[in-house]
Amino acid sequence: LQNMWTCLALISTIWLVSTDGFVVIPRGATSSCRPTHLAATEKTTLTDATDWNLRIVLRGVATEQGKKVDEIFRVKCNFLEEEGYEPPQGVIQQQVNPDSRLEITKSRWILSEDPDDRKDGLWVWGLFAEPLYPFMLLQLETNAIPLPNNSNNNDNDDHEEATPADAIKPLQLYAQINHKRDSEKGVILEASDLKVRQVETVAADVFGAAKVDVYEEVNIGTLSIQPVLPVGASN
């Protein structure tokens, strides 16, 4: 009996690492560790429990020097829902990556009906087990994005003028994303177009005394969003 209690005491002090990437800690110990990826048995969510990969493809975006460039960026982030709101909404938290040139400075997402064809929204009033919002409306703002090979050219001789740095102008991006809830996989976010809003000031009356700003959405690329899954798992 004494040997049995000794074995139990030893087992209780061992840290076990599971195959899902979690650390099991002895009772009474604490840790700030979090899973490095989504476990194969877990559903994807719009919380910090799920990491998401954003692939942002930009086409013909303007730089500070007046050029047009194409760029592709990859960002890992979490969707954080703010409690107490209906429909569900929140912000994006970008994960730190020193190699990423794109920095999200401000964000907002909200689950929505079709913003161009709003019905009575009956599912909000409890007619379904879970609200059936078919869209996510996403807004992202970025800092200026430095272009690669952008530093002053040290190979220039003394008689040549160094090339000034260039960057993509700060962006305010909009996307309407198809949003689904799968009973086994959880949240599914489909690829969508990325747009910017261009403002044009026009006359509001025949005399031109009053002015009004008109917004036009222009497609400048695409956005794809995929959850970070364990190696060997499929979407």
Side-chain angles (χ1 to χ4, degrees):
L1 182 62
Q2 183 177 1
N3 290 338
M4 180 185 71
W5 284 110
T6 301
C7 290
L8 289 174
L10 289 173
I11 292 173
S12 66
T13 62
I14 297 175
W15 290 30
L16 300 176
V17 180
S18 76
T19 58
D20 290 333
F22 291 91
V23 177
V24 180
I25 300 177
R27 180 179 298 176
T30 60
S31 174
S32 58
C33 294
R34 55 172 294 178
T36 57
H37 52 62
L38 188 69
T41 57
E42 291 183 1
K43 294 182 180 180
T44 55
T45 66
L46 298 176
T47 70
D48 60 359
T50 303
D51 294 339
W52 295 85
N53 283 326
L54 276 58
R55 184 175 183 267
I56 299 172
V57 179
L58 300 177
R59 301 187 185 95
V61 291
T63 73
E64 294 175 345
Q65 296 182 13
K67 300 177 182 178
K68 298 285 187 179
V69 298
D70 300 338
E71 288 285 342
I72 298 177
F73 302 98
R74 292 174 175 83
V75 173
K76 182 179 286 188
C77 68
N78 305 100
F79 290 87
L80 304 181
E81 181 178 347
E82 297 176 347
E83 297 182 359
Y85 290 94
E86 187 63 39
Q89 56 194 276
V91 298
I92 280 182
Q93 178 176 278
Q94 181 178 1
Q95 296 187 15
V96 176
N97 179 1
D99 296 326
S100 177
R101 291 180 290 129
L102 186 147
E103 179 185 357
I104 298 174
T105 58
K106 190 176 180 181
S107 64
R108 192 73 190 169
W109 62 265
I110 181 170
L111 300 187
S112 174
E113 307 169 49
D114 186 344
D116 299 321
D117 184 22
R118 294 188 182 276
K119 304 291 193 307
D120 293 333
L122 294 179
W123 50 67
V124 177
W125 305 106
L127 299 184
F128 295 88
E130 185 174 2
L132 305 178
Y133 298 109
F135 297 101
M136 171 188 281
L137 306 182
L138 177 65
Q139 299 182 26
L140 298 175
E141 296 184 19
T142 74
N143 277 336
I145 306 169
L147 293 176
N149 303 322
N150 196 23
S151 58
N152 291 342
N153 192 346
N154 295 326
D155 295 333
N156 290 344
D157 58 37
D158 295 336
H159 301 288
E160 293 185 10
E161 186 176 341
T163 303
D166 198 4
I168 297 173
K169 294 180 179 180
L171 296 170
Q172 193 167 19
L173 304 170
Y174 301 86
Q176 179 175 307
I177 304 163
N178 288 339
H179 162 261
K180 300 177 181 178
R181 296 291 177 111
D182 185 271
S183 59
E184 295 182 357
K185 297 179 181 179
V187 174
I188 298 176
L189 300 174
E190 298 182 355
S192 67
D193 292 333
L194 267 180
K195 300 181 178 181
V196 294
R197 290 178 181 168
Q198 295 181 349
V199 183
E200 181 182 2
T201 302
V202 298
D205 56 45
V206 294
F207 302 105
K211 304 290 184 179
V212 63
D213 290 336
V214 177
Y215 294 87
E216 179 186 6
E217 291 190 345
V218 179
N219 192 331
I220 64 162
T222 58
L223 171 68
S224 60
I225 308 176
Q226 295 292 334
V228 180
L229 298 174
V231 176
S234 59
N235 291 338

